Amino acid sequence: MGIMRIGVLGGTFNPIHSGHLHIARRIQRLFSLTQVHFVVASVPPNKPLENLISFSHRYAMVSLAVAGTSSFLPSMVELEPEASSFTIDTMAKLSGRVAQGRSALFFIAGGDSLMDVKSWKESETLLNSYNFVFAVRPGTDLTCLQDAL
């Protein structure tokens, strides 16, 4: 069996919307991903918590939104022991559980995340250990992204 290519789309999904699904479908096609795991952030470390819908409701919305696509899987991995909302911990858990050495993981994030990635926990290790795909929204000024690199 060949190496599975697995996408990991993390987010608060507050709420999930058609843009998230469009990005997942498009990146799945472009990178030949077998699955896309929609990881619902338990307590996002870099986003304000006011107006944050409860985790259980956000997870339920994600589950309903991806129900029609067998290769899209909702994930509660951030709640698994040791519970953590940091991408480095989430990817390590998925790498051990899903990938098991036979898969390549692709973390999918919005282009705005590229601006902050240097501030993420263990960002250098994270970026050197996994594949990253940043989806830039239409109308984004790409010249400002050069500073992020």
Side-chain angles (χ1 to χ4, degrees):
M1 179 177 180
I3 291 180
M4 287 180 51
R5 298 165 64 86
I6 298 173
V8 179
L9 179 58
T12 53
F13 302 117
N14 192 45
I16 189 167
H17 52 74
S18 59
H20 295 121
L21 299 171
H22 173 75
I23 288 169
R25 276 193 225 75
R26 185 86 168 127
I27 291 174
Q28 183 179 33
R29 277 194 302 265
L30 287 171
F31 290 87
S32 302
L33 303 178
T34 308
Q35 301 173 336
V36 177
H37 292 247
F38 286 71
V39 177
V40 181
S42 58
V43 181
N46 297 324
K47 294 203 175 178
L49 298 180
E50 69 245 11
N51 302 318
L52 185 65
I53 300 167
S54 73
F55 177 87
S56 60
H57 284 106
R58 290 181 290 120
Y59 179 80
M61 287 187 287
V62 168
S63 297
L64 289 170
V66 303
T69 307
S70 62
S71 61
F72 287 1
L73 305 167
S75 175
M76 290 185 174
V77 70
E78 288 198 357
L79 295 182
E80 294 176 2
E82 295 282 323
S84 173
S85 291
F86 293 106
T87 303
I88 187 89
D89 299 328
T90 299
M91 294 299 281
K93 288 179 202 176
L94 286 171
S95 182
R97 186 181 65 171
V98 177
Q100 299 172 351
R102 299 183 315 269
S103 299
L105 295 178
F106 292 76
F107 188 81
I108 304 164
D112 54 325
S113 296
L114 181 57
M115 300 299 292
D116 301 324
V117 75
K118 285 184 180 177
S119 69
W120 293 4
K121 180 181 176 187
E122 298 179 46
S123 61
E124 191 170 323
T125 300
L126 182 64
L127 291 168
N128 287 321
S129 300
Y130 303 100
N131 302 293
F132 274 74
V133 180
F134 291 97
V136 179
R137 293 180 179 96
T140 301
D141 179 11
L142 298 178
T143 58
C144 68
L145 296 179
Q146 291 176 348
D147 295 336
L149 305 173

